[in-house]
Amino acid sequence: MRAARNGESGVTPERIAADFGGHPITLSNWLRRANTDESAGAATAAGESAELREARKAHPGIHGP
């Protein structure tokens, strides 16, 4: 699946499905979900980082791990 996500030559969901006996649409859905989850995770991490910076400014004596 990583090869399909990275766009390696000749590696498609159809090819992976043929090799492993799955359905190409299912594999495409998994790829789409993984991409969405990664995008949401990056946005959440950035938002949490900004929130932590603000909290540290407001409470300079408190430090987290």
Side-chain angles (χ1 to χ4, degrees):
M1 292 301 289
R2 184 176 295 139
R5 289 179 73 193
N6 293 338
E8 292 182 20
S9 178
V11 181
T12 63
E14 291 80 12
R15 172 87 184 241
I16 295 169
D19 290 346
F20 292 100
H23 195 278
I25 297 298
T26 301
L27 298 174
S28 294
N29 289 339
W30 289 350
L31 288 170
R32 188 176 324 113
R33 166 77 57 91
N35 290 337
T36 301
D37 290 349
E38 285 179 1
S39 296
T44 300
E48 289 174 352
S49 293
E51 186 176 340
L52 286 172
R53 279 193 301 276
E54 291 300 317
R56 287 182 182 130
K57 286 180 187 176
H59 306 282
I62 299 173
H63 296 283

